[in-house]
């Protein structure tokens, strides 16, 4: 069958796959407090479960990309969809945190890792010309919109039904994906199982795993700060940093091992020569930063809204809604914009607008007592616009900078960068928020309460005060002016630190984006 005869059926089911994976990244963020209560667990455990979902994807996306060469893109994609559906059902029926971890983070994460790299190669194989360009732009846009509207959908389901219905809905959508895949063509097999460089697969997965696990160990500051009267627990901090360094060393070893295989004329697990492509490498680094800030912000902002104003998940989702609206308005019109403005210029503009949005939000948190939820809407809307401009265009540049026969591998690398960014972002910005709050409380208590001028007394009680400020009793907090001021000032300091860190990261992303450019001759993926 000619590629032009497929219509949009292939794009629909590929986009559905990206949509549910995008939803998974954020739709439970507004249900965190509900998950803690229903599963009888802790906030730290739920935060780790969210991060581990992206971690599992990050570890196995490269494997998912390479698997297409062994069993074909259709079998890889559909196998991932089935696995994902099974994980969704297990997550929906979870009775404890461990079951949610297995169903959502591990099984769904692995299924997503098989589906994600296949999406770009499926679109490329079934569409040509302007249809291919539109399909790639539409699918990447839908993914970022899904991430952005996740809090609203999650909030609606959690408030009126249950967070479990979110996972059940995903299982239904997986069934629809399988039904729509009837005319999907299979790709040519270029590798045998014996050709799979399993040592390389292990090194890459182990390196990514240790890197993120090291970051996750910093997830609970109680394990490495305020230990026996000191600010830093050398043992806990050393273990975390050692894990991170070991992960980086394994990734360096993976790089040199792949280079050695290439020089020997053997088949590597990843053709690292693709990283010599400047637009590809710097584009992926920029995309990692976008994923990191998006995941982190869509974790800490809903958490702040719920704990500070005591609103339900639906209201939280509604407050977050301006971001996806801004993103959707500009992202769906990217094709028209690129006819007038070059894609890499739109990436620059997107980063600049996102930075301005962060500075606006930072200014809002300078006045915590008078801050209300409506004050966040303008900055969230502008952030959505920035993401809607930057994300689809940098994705298009990344995929356009490689040849068609490199697309499966390029997609695997690209999605690895995204998922590493997402898994780090949730923990990193959450940790910065917590540390800002921690040191604000530690500095304020000795001033307001004389008994805490004694360091040991402060160390003994500080985490009980942290609990009071993280989860304030909105019904009685007004009766204690000192606690009221401490709660809002400390939370505001935490948010300011996290938002400022986001602005700095986005600025770094902007600098990296300056090194990317459209392919020679302005070639874009899909243009002849």
């Amino acid at each position: 069958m000619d590629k032009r005869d497929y219509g949009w059926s292939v794009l629909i089911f590929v986009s559905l796959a990206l949509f549910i994976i995008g939803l998974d990244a954020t739709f439970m963020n507004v249900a965190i407090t509900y998950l803690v209560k229903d599963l009888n667990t802790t906030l730290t455990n739920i935060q780790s479960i969210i991060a581990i979902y992206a971690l599992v994807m990050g570890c196995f996306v490269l494997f998912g990309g390479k698997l297409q060469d062994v069993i074909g893109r259709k079998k890889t994609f559909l196998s991932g969809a089935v696995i994902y559906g099974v994980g969704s059902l297990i997550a929906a029926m979870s009775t404890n945190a461990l079951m949610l971890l297995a169903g959502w983070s591990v099984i769904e994460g692995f299924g997503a890792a098989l589906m994600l790299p296949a999406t770009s190669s499926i679109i490329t194989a079934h569409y040509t010309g302007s249809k291919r360009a539109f399909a790639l732009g539409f699918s990447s846009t839908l993914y970022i919109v899904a991430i952005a509207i996740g809090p609203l959908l999650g909030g609606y389901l959690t408030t009126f039904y249950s967070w479990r219905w979110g996972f059940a809905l995903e299982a239904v959508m997986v069934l629809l994906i399988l039904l729509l895949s009837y005319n999907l063509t299979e790709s040519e097999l270029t590798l045998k199982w014996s050709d799979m460089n399993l040592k390389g697969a292990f090194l890459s997965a182990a390196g990514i795993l240790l890197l993120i696990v090291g970051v996750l160990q910093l997830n609970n500051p109680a394990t490495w700060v305020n230990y026996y009267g000191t600010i830093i627990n050398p043992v806990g901090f050393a273990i975390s940093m050692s894990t991170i360094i070991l992960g980086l060393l394994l990734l360096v070893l993976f790089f040199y091992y792949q280079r050695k295989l290439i020089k020997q004329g053997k088949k590597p697990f990843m053709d690292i020569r693709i990283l010599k492509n400047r637009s590809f490498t710097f584009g992926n680094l920029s995309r990692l930063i976008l994923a990191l800030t998006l995941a982190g912000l869509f974790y800490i902002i809903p958490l702040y809204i719920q704990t500070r104003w005591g609103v339900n998940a639906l209201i939280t989702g509604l407050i977050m809604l301006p971001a996806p609206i801004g993103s959707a308005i500009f992202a769906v019109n990217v094709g028209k914009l690129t006819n007038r403005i070059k894609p890499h210029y739109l990436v620059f503009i997107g980063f600049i607008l996102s930075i301005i949005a962060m500075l606006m939000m930072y200014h809002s948190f300078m006045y915590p007592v008078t801050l209300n939820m409506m004050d966040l809407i303008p900055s969230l809307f502008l952030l959505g616009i920035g993401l809607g401009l930057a994300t689809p265009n940098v994705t298009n540049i990344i995929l356009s900078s490689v040849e068609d026969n490199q697309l499966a591998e390029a997609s695997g690398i690209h999605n690895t960068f995204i998922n590493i960014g997402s898994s780090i972002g949730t923990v990193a910005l959450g940790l910065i928020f917590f540390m800002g709050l921690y040191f604000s409380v530690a500095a304020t208590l000795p001033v307001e309460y004389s008994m805490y001028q004694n360091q040991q007394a402060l160390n003994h009680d500080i985490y009980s005060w942290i609990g009071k400020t993280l989860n304030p009793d909105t019904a009685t907090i007004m009766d204690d002016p000192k606690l009221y001021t401490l709660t809002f000032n400390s939370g505001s300091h935490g948010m300011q630190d996290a938002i400022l860190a986001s602005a700095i990261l986005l600025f770094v992303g902007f600098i990296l984006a300056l090194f990317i450019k459209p392919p020679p001759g302005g070639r874009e993926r899909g243009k002849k």
Side-chain angles (χ1 to χ4, degrees):
M1 183 182 292
D2 190 273
K3 293 180 180 179
R4 292 170 294 179
D5 295 332
Y6 283 102
W8 295 117
S9 62
V10 172
L11 175 61
I12 290 172
F13 81 78
V14 168
S15 298
L16 281 176
L18 289 170
F19 186 76
I20 61 175
I21 294 172
L23 282 180
D24 242 4
T26 58
F27 84 125
M28 283 293 102
N29 288 2
V30 295
I32 291 172
T33 55
Y34 296 82
L35 290 166
V36 170
K37 181 179 179 181
D38 290 351
L39 301 179
N40 191 28
T41 187
T42 65
L43 178 65
T44 298
N45 286 340
I46 296 301
Q47 184 185 17
S48 296
I49 289 172
I50 292 173
I52 290 171
Y53 169 74
L55 165 64
V56 172
M57 279 199 290
C59 287
F60 292 103
V61 160
L62 282 177
F63 175 79
K66 184 61 67 173
L67 191 63
Q68 295 177 67
D69 295 329
V70 179
I71 67 173
R73 60 173 173 260
K74 179 177 181 178
K75 289 181 181 177
T76 301
F77 181 86
L78 295 181
S79 297
V82 171
I83 293 170
Y84 192 95
V86 171
S88 299
L89 291 175
I90 293 174
M93 297 183 290
S94 295
T95 56
N96 53 56
L98 183 60
M99 191 172 176
L100 181 66
L101 173 68
W104 182 17
S105 302
V106 178
I107 299 177
E108 277 194 53
F110 183 70
L114 299 187
M115 285 194 291
L116 269 175
T119 55
S120 296
S121 54
I122 286 172
I123 289 174
T124 301
H126 291 79
Y127 298 108
T128 58
S130 60
K131 282 191 174 184
R132 184 191 291 179
F134 171 80
L136 285 170
F138 179 83
S139 59
S140 63
T141 296
L142 192 62
Y143 180 72
I144 189 65
V145 169
I147 290 175
I149 69 170
L152 178 61
L153 179 61
Y156 174 79
L157 293 174
T158 301
T159 301
F160 293 106
Y161 301 98
S162 168
W163 53 267
R164 301 177 187 277
W165 282 102
F167 292 109
L169 178 62
E170 288 183 342
V172 173
M173 294 181 73
V174 166
L175 181 61
L176 183 59
I177 289 169
L178 296 175
L179 292 175
L180 288 172
S181 64
Y182 65 93
N183 64 345
L184 179 63
T185 60
E186 188 56 277
S187 60
E188 181 181 353
L189 307 184
T190 58
L191 291 177
K192 300 177 181 179
W193 278 109
S194 57
D195 296 325
M196 179 75 80
N197 181 231
L198 296 180
K199 186 184 294 185
F202 173 78
L203 284 174
S204 63
I208 293 170
L209 177 66
L210 290 174
L211 173 65
I212 306 302
V213 166
V215 176
L216 285 174
Q217 287 177 328
L218 298 174
N219 188 30
N220 184 8
T223 63
W224 57 275
V225 298
N226 193 36
Y227 184 78
Y228 290 129
T230 64
I231 294 299
I232 297 294
N233 167 14
V235 176
F237 188 73
I239 291 174
S240 177
M241 295 308 298
S242 297
T243 307
I244 292 172
I245 293 171
L246 181 58
L248 291 173
L249 288 175
L250 285 179
L251 290 176
V252 171
L253 181 61
F254 167 75
F255 177 85
Y256 281 103
Y257 176 56
Q258 299 307 293
R259 189 171 73 170
K260 177 182 177 181
L261 291 177
I262 292 171
K263 288 182 177 179
Q264 294 175 346
K266 298 179 181 179
K267 295 181 179 179
F269 181 72
M270 185 183 87
D271 189 350
I272 59 172
R273 290 172 294 188
I274 198 173
L275 298 177
K276 294 181 180 179
N277 184 323
R278 190 179 75 179
S279 292
F280 179 81
T281 299
F282 284 102
N284 273 305
L285 290 172
S286 297
R287 185 65 183 88
L288 181 149
I289 288 176
L290 287 171
L292 189 156
T293 53
L294 179 64
L297 290 171
F298 273 73
Y299 170 73
I300 62 171
I301 295 176
L303 178 63
Y304 184 91
I305 291 173
Q306 286 187 323
T307 56
R308 286 297 173 273
W309 289 295
V311 298
N312 60 31
L314 178 60
I315 298 300
T316 305
L318 287 172
I319 295 301
M320 301 297 293
L321 187 60
I325 290 176
S327 181
I329 289 174
F330 283 84
V332 297
N333 290 297
V334 161
K336 296 179 181 178
L337 289 172
T338 52
N339 290 330
R340 299 184 178 184
I341 305 174
K342 292 182 178 180
H344 60 303
Y345 291 150
L346 291 175
V347 174
F348 303 158
I349 295 171
F351 270 107
I352 291 171
L353 292 179
S354 298
I355 294 170
I356 293 173
M358 290 296 93
L359 297 178
M360 290 171 56
M361 194 176 295
Y362 181 89
H363 181 266
S364 297
F365 280 98
M366 292 177 66
Y367 309 97
V369 176
T370 59
L371 177 70
N372 63 69
M373 291 180 283
M374 298 299 105
D375 294 333
L376 301 178
I377 290 178
S379 53
L380 284 171
F381 181 70
L382 186 61
L383 176 64
I385 293 175
L387 294 173
L389 287 173
T391 304
N393 281 293
V394 76
T395 298
N396 189 31
I397 290 172
I398 290 168
L399 296 178
S400 298
S401 65
V402 300
E403 300 300 326
D404 283 356
N405 61 359
Q406 297 176 304
L407 195 58
E409 189 153 41
S411 181
I413 297 171
H414 175 54
N415 284 287
T416 299
F417 273 83
I418 292 173
N419 286 290
I420 289 176
S422 296
S423 56
I424 291 177
T426 301
V427 174
L429 292 189
L431 178 62
I432 292 171
F433 166 75
F434 183 94
M435 294 305 296
L437 182 146
Y438 174 92
F439 286 112
S440 177
V441 172
T444 304
L445 284 177
V447 176
E448 297 293 340
Y449 302 91
S450 59
M451 76 281 290
Y452 291 124
Q453 292 177 5
N454 181 291
Q455 185 66 44
Q456 288 186 341
L458 177 63
N459 292 338
H460 183 270
D461 292 347
I462 190 168
Y463 281 105
S464 65
W465 285 95
I466 293 294
K468 293 178 182 179
T469 56
L470 277 175
N471 300 286
D473 185 347
T474 54
T476 62
I477 193 173
M478 294 292 292
D479 298 332
D480 186 344
K482 289 184 178 181
L483 180 59
Y484 178 83
T485 302
L486 176 68
T487 298
F488 283 91
N489 284 343
S490 60
S492 175
H493 287 149
M495 288 299 295
Q496 282 181 296
D497 288 348
I499 291 166
L500 182 60
S502 300
I504 294 171
L505 285 169
L506 288 169
F507 179 73
V508 173
F510 170 74
I511 297 300
L512 292 171
L514 295 176
F515 292 93
I516 66 176
K517 60 181 181 179
R523 178 178 63 87
E524 291 182 38
R525 175 67 57 197
K527 288 188 178 182
K528 296 181 179 179

